[in-house]
Amino acid sequence: MSHLTLRTQASRLGALCLTGLLAASAAPADDLKLNIVRHYPNNLFDSKESVAFSVKAKGSPAGGAEIVARLTDENAKEVAVKSLSEFQEQVEIDFGIQPRGYYELRLLVDADGDGPEEPSVADMASLGVVDFVNRSAKEVRDGNYVFGLKWWAGIHDQPEMMESMSKLGLQWTRVIQHEGMNNEKRLNITEIFTEYPMNAAIKVERFPVEAYDEERYGPLDEYSKLHGRGHWVIKTIPKRDVYSKWLKEQLTRIPEEQNVFEIWNEAWDKMSPEDFAELCQLVAEIILEVRPDAIIGPNLKGLTGKYEFDARVIEAGGMERMKMVALHPYSNPTDRKAYREFKSWIEKKVGRELKVYITEYGSHSTPEGPQRQSEIQQARNIAQRSVVLYSNGVQGLVPHIAVSSESNKTYWDDWLGLFRRNEEPKPAIIAHATAARMIDGSEYLGDLWFGTAVEAMVFDRKGTGVLALWHIDPTLDRSEENASRKEIEIPVDGELVVTNILGRETVLKPENGVVNLTLDESPVYVTGFKDTLLADVSRELRPDRWPVDQVPPRPVRKAGKFTTPPVLDGKLDEWDHAFEVAFVNEAVNAKDASGISYISWDGDHLWIGAYMRDNEILNQRVLGKLYQQDSIELFVSTEPRDTGSGFGPNDHQFFLTPTSTLGKGLVAEMTQRESGEVVLVDDAVYFAGPSGWGWAVEVGIPWSTFNDFKPEPGTKLMLDMRLNDADRSHERWKLDPGDNDRFSVFDPVTWGFVELVE
């Protein structure tokens, strides 16, 4: 074996891109393979132990080669380097005790030790240094600790992940009532609670096929053909007697102290609110018979509009006997005002106080495509959302998810994991654990005022004041180069301890009794400030907390009238008089996806025309999922209004597709949003198919489709569209109308107005 000398490789590595780890490259000698052995659990180290790894090797390095282990922080700054001299089949690397934080380790091979080529990366790993906790599940409940993490059955080593969650103090999770019972290789629901100090919101969802109600829904094979294979288990209400016996059997496997039950998952896209209300009462009746003190509640959307799912569930009696609600605040999770308004609204509706469990929320690190976002931005988002949601007094805080598939580099849902697919930590899990260490189990006292766009929440952690701070100005460029920053002054008697988003501490001494602190959008946690600051703490949310963007007006489009119906040939030659709207997404290549749409009318039809540039025409989805591939989503309301969110009886959604599994373009309407019921608009007249460099549609939808709406010049509608583009190389890209910055597919009161003119 060669005796290898220490050599620093910093000058030849370049900066780390935090959108994902670099792939390992081949070592100079074909027979040399290096492997960093994962440190248990999941490459997490207690802040009091050395950061040490074993490296296994097969083969030997080429003559003159150098092998070094380089440890860097999240900014690619070198913090330690070790030589693998005295090379053996297994070598121990010990970097000593390192400060709390996120790190990356690379094994570098320099073929001849002289350069100038960059050294090869033979293997690499990510790791975290944190404070391990040792709390029982009972201590978590009694101490009002709420931080947790949703795990995933696809994890390779479930016991190791559960150990990591326990050591990080993330001791709330979310499991289904029969977790692992059908696979003896996985942890089952009893083992989760008996082998690990965990608590959970237990999701009550799904049921055995024997409980399928054929009398109510028809033969199972016919239902599956219509709605999709397996959809019956989440979209139908089971037979009472069979389901009651089955669910009671599941409850016998769950320890008595695990008493929080969440009904279904996001039922708003699975069944009608009236059916969900019926289901909620069925589940509550069964559980309360066995566990009269159970904390039961549905997973709701957290929206208050009269047409929204939540209001309709309450109206149908779904909240009777419920003690909590479970929310999934992916949209605007840091909006404390909206959260407070929802909680006040629903408690007024049901006439009692309700607990709130956050059983999903999160952020992603999509490495490519229009939704690209760095791992550090994911960590910032997770930390902000965890702190804000905690300040709302929630009972459980369970981000989604421990590990994601990472299968499609352009699709955000594949990159929500706080750990990597290989089950090593990402910065996000360290940021979430840091927030837990700094504020979990504390009392939110209120806010301090350091000016507009500064979030400043004060917590009392067992007699120690902790101030969580960050700055976001939504009116400014939020890129890394031009991120918004703000300097504030904090009065101090002694020393100020600032803990950054990943847990590293900095001690700052005051000058003239104050410390100047520069904030950006990465949360920091401050201790050591003067107690006199607490005199100004307030739980009131000042209206000037955040810069108020000027709300853009909704466009009013004047749609001209056809005197003669157009020729339906995909050429759009007769549409000069129509109102024109472009589809815009600057992050998408226009050759791949872009388009122009047209709006017109006559006495019989609402007319929509569109020409779409597209390099691959693709739609192989079932009717209820047509929007996931090439399509136009058309939204029309004959109830124009400025308030009242949610889809009402006069709000419609259509799908216009250039192709389909039926071998032709389609015009279809979603008749039941919650259950995904979609029907073909049989009396529509249309062309939909390939045209030019992409595809085109010319569609006439009869006015009778809109509850016999009568069109006249001067009449107003609400109308908007979204272009969806999917190729085999990427998931759906979304292009919205270029003249309406307020547009949301979920909220009719954001759709643009259309005035019918001669």
Side-chain angles (χ1 to χ4, degrees):
M1 295 290 181
S2 302
H3 181 79
L4 302 177
T5 57
L6 175 66
R7 183 182 181 117
T8 299
Q9 307 290 341
S11 62
R12 284 184 278 163
L13 275 179
L16 167 69
C17 176
L18 284 172
T19 57
L21 291 175
L22 300 171
S25 56
D30 291 338
D31 63 342
L32 176 61
K33 304 295 181 185
L34 300 176
N35 177 49
I36 301 169
V37 179
R38 190 159 85 200
H39 173 81
Y40 185 88
N42 297 107
N43 280 358
L44 296 173
F45 293 83
D46 185 78
S47 59
K48 302 179 184 64
E49 68 176 314
S50 291
V51 174
F53 285 93
S54 294
V55 175
K56 290 184 177 181
K58 289 185 179 180
S60 59
E66 291 184 348
I67 303 176
V68 296
R70 183 173 184 259
L71 190 67
T72 59
D73 65 14
E74 72 281 2
N75 297 313
K77 179 181 178 182
E78 182 179 287
V79 297
V81 63
K82 294 283 184 179
S83 168
L84 300 191
S85 57
E86 303 292 339
F87 199 82
Q88 301 171 6
E89 290 185 0
Q90 182 161 324
V91 179
E92 303 299 319
I93 307 173
D94 192 335
F95 292 104
I97 294 176
Q98 296 293 330
R100 300 183 191 95
Y102 168 84
Y103 299 92
E104 292 180 355
L105 169 63
R106 285 172 174 74
L107 297 181
L108 305 168
V109 181
D110 191 345
D112 55 15
D114 294 329
E117 297 87 359
E118 289 190 357
S120 299
V121 181
D123 199 11
M124 60 196 320
S126 63
L127 59 133
V129 178
V130 295
D131 285 1
F132 285 173
V133 301
N134 184 26
R135 289 192 292 257
S136 69
K138 185 177 186 302
E139 287 173 327
V140 169
R141 295 191 302 272
D142 293 346
N144 295 318
Y145 295 98
V146 305
F147 273 67
L149 178 63
K150 182 183 171 187
W151 70 324
W152 180 44
I155 292 169
H156 174 71
D157 194 327
Q158 291 176 312
E160 183 178 11
M161 183 60 67
M162 297 298 285
E163 185 72 17
S164 290
M165 291 163 59
S166 299
K167 289 184 179 298
L168 292 172
L170 306 178
Q171 292 169 263
W172 277 93
T173 192
R174 183 190 191 214
V175 294
I176 197 166
Q177 78 276 326
H178 58 283
E179 188 80 51
M181 299 308 300
N182 300 322
N183 187 344
E184 58 185 33
K185 294 182 179 180
R186 317 303 292 180
L187 286 174
N188 64 48
I189 192 165
T190 304
E191 292 170 331
I192 290 169
F193 297 126
T194 57
E195 301 296 324
Y196 303 94
M198 300 300 297
N199 298 282
I202 299 160
K203 181 175 63 171
V204 182
E205 188 186 55
R206 302 172 184 262
F207 49 88
V209 68
E210 301 83 51
Y212 173 74
D213 193 340
E214 191 168 276
E215 183 176 341
R216 180 168 181 170
Y217 296 103
L220 181 57
D221 58 344
E222 293 184 12
Y223 184 93
S224 297
K225 287 179 183 178
L226 188 62
H227 298 280
R229 183 181 177 185
H231 283 210
W232 59 270
V233 78
I234 53 176
K235 290 190 172 185
T236 71
I237 301 172
K239 290 188 290 189
R240 176 179 294 270
D241 292 344
V242 179
Y243 180 64
S244 178
K245 180 181 178 181
W246 178 82
L247 183 55
K248 287 177 181 178
E249 288 175 356
Q250 308 307 311
L251 295 175
T252 64
R253 301 183 177 98
I254 302 171
E256 290 288 337
E257 66 273 9
Q258 300 298 329
N259 211 29
V260 179
F261 297 92
E262 172 188 6
I263 302 175
W264 247 242
N265 177 72
E266 299 182 357
W268 52 85
D269 64 359
K270 298 177 176 66
M271 62 182 69
S272 72
E274 292 74 25
D275 281 358
F276 186 52
E278 179 184 343
L279 178 66
C280 287
Q281 293 308 301
L282 173 62
V283 170
E285 177 186 322
I286 296 168
I287 294 177
L288 290 173
E289 182 180 339
V290 178
R291 298 192 178 187
D293 296 327
I295 300 170
I296 307 174
N299 178 199
L300 295 181
K301 295 184 75 173
L303 300 174
T304 62
K306 70 175 182 177
Y307 291 141
E308 293 286 1
F309 185 81
D310 298 7
R312 294 165 62 193
V313 169
I314 296 170
E315 185 178 351
M319 286 301 295
E320 294 177 14
R321 298 186 284 193
M322 302 299 164
K323 297 180 181 178
M324 71 91 156
V325 291
L327 301 179
H328 295 173
Y330 286 100
S331 177
N332 297 324
T334 57
D335 189 342
R336 288 189 283 163
K337 183 174 182 290
Y339 172 88
R340 292 183 184 187
E341 289 175 348
F342 171 77
K343 192 166 189 297
S344 174
W345 171 83
I346 194 169
E347 290 179 347
K348 184 177 180 180
K349 283 280 187 181
V350 302
R352 61 186 178 278
E353 186 176 357
L354 295 170
K355 298 178 182 294
V356 177
Y357 289 79
I358 306 296
T359 55
E360 280 191 28
Y361 68 104
S363 185
H364 63 91
S365 60
T366 308
E368 297 178 8
Q371 295 164 324
R372 179 178 178 179
Q373 182 168 268
S374 73
E375 289 185 350
I376 282 296
Q377 189 60 55
Q378 179 193 26
R380 290 168 177 160
N381 290 344
I382 288 290
Q384 291 172 12
R385 294 168 189 187
S386 297
V387 173
V388 167
L389 291 169
Y390 183 86
S391 75
N392 288 326
V394 299
Q395 304 298 302
L397 200 53
V398 183
H400 182 86
I401 191 170
V403 172
S404 293
S405 69
E406 299 183 2
S407 57
N408 189 314
K409 292 184 178 181
T410 69
Y411 185 39
W412 69 273
D413 198 51
D414 289 353
W415 296 87
L416 287 163
L418 275 65
F419 287 84
R420 303 186 190 285
R421 187 69 185 92
N422 65 5
E423 297 171 38
E424 296 175 0
K426 291 164 68 176
I429 188 62
I430 308 303
H432 184 54
T434 297
R437 177 171 69 87
M438 297 306 299
I439 67 171
D440 202 6
S442 68
E443 178 188 0
Y444 166 66
L445 300 180
D447 289 9
L448 291 175
W449 179 250
F450 290 100
T452 298
V454 175
E455 195 72 272
M457 287 173 276
V458 182
F459 302 88
D460 181 357
R461 189 184 63 189
K462 299 177 182 178
T464 298
V466 179
L467 177 57
L469 290 160
W470 64 88
H471 172 64
I472 297 179
D473 188 341
T475 66
L476 298 179
D477 180 0
R478 293 178 61 195
S479 66
E480 291 294 331
E481 299 80 12
N482 302 298
S484 62
R485 294 178 175 84
K486 186 167 184 175
E487 188 172 288
I488 65 171
E489 289 186 350
I490 301 178
V492 180
D493 279 329
E495 295 177 333
L496 198 71
V497 180
V498 180
T499 302
N500 77 0
I501 188 176
L502 298 176
R504 294 193 189 93
E505 291 184 354
T506 303
V507 178
L508 302 176
K509 295 184 178 180
E511 294 184 10
N512 300 319
V514 299
V515 167
N516 292 320
L517 195 61
T518 300
L519 304 176
D520 60 20
E521 61 183 294
S522 291
V524 294
Y525 310 92
V526 174
T527 58
F529 52 84
K530 274 190 174 182
D531 288 344
T532 54
L533 270 180
L534 300 180
D536 297 323
V537 166
S538 172
R539 285 179 174 251
E540 295 297 319
L541 299 178
R542 290 179 52 148
D544 54 349
R545 277 172 61 246
W546 299 108
V548 178
D549 288 333
Q550 291 294 324
V551 178
R554 293 157 68 189
V556 178
R557 301 141 174 169
K558 296 184 181 295
K561 184 179 181 180
F562 272 118
T563 55
T564 302
V567 177
L568 304 180
D569 56 6
K571 296 180 180 179
L572 284 79
D573 293 335
E574 308 95 335
W575 292 74
D576 290 346
H577 68 286
F579 193 91
E580 180 179 308
V581 180
F583 289 106
V584 176
N585 187 332
E586 294 179 356
V588 175
N589 188 328
K591 293 181 180 180
D592 189 341
S594 58
I596 298 291
S597 64
Y598 302 90
I599 307 167
S600 185
W601 70 288
D602 62 20
D604 299 317
H605 297 91
L606 171 67
W607 289 98
I608 301 296
Y611 175 74
M612 300 302 156
R613 190 166 184 175
D614 191 356
N615 61 346
E616 180 183 1
I617 301 175
L618 176 70
N619 200 314
Q620 295 298 306
R621 294 292 193 252
V622 298
L623 284 182
K625 303 292 184 182
L626 288 172
Y627 62 89
Q628 292 181 346
Q629 294 185 339
D630 291 352
S631 59
I632 292 174
E633 291 176 81
L634 171 65
F635 302 90
V636 181
S637 175
T638 57
E639 185 185 340
R641 58 193 187 271
D642 292 313
T643 60
S645 63
F647 279 69
N650 298 310
D651 304 325
H652 304 261
Q653 180 177 3
F654 300 90
F655 302 137
L656 318 178
T657 73
T659 186
S660 71
T661 57
L662 301 180
K664 62 179 182 179
L666 300 179
V667 178
E669 181 181 8
M670 180 169 281
T671 56
Q672 173 52 262
R673 288 180 58 81
E674 293 82 12
S675 59
E677 299 283 347
V678 173
V679 300
L680 298 180
V681 185
D682 291 328
D683 50 357
V685 292
Y686 67 95
F687 168 92
S691 179
W693 288 345
W695 52 275
V697 295
E698 291 182 278
V699 177
I701 301 175
W703 289 115
S704 58
T705 306
F706 305 100
N707 301 328
D708 293 319
F709 172 79
K710 303 300 182 185
E712 294 179 357
T715 302
K716 278 188 179 180
L717 308 170
M718 297 192 301
L719 185 152
D720 249 311
M721 289 176 265
R722 165 173 281 176
L723 169 64
N724 298 304
D725 173 72
D727 297 344
R728 289 176 178 84
S729 62
H730 66 78
E731 294 287 343
R732 175 173 56 145
W733 289 348
K734 307 168 188 176
L735 286 75
D736 288 340
D739 64 342
N740 187 1
D741 292 333
R742 293 178 59 183
F743 171 63
S744 167
V745 298
F746 304 108
D747 190 356
V749 297
T750 68
W751 304 345
F753 294 107
V754 170
E755 182 180 346
L756 307 182
V757 298
E758 289 283 4

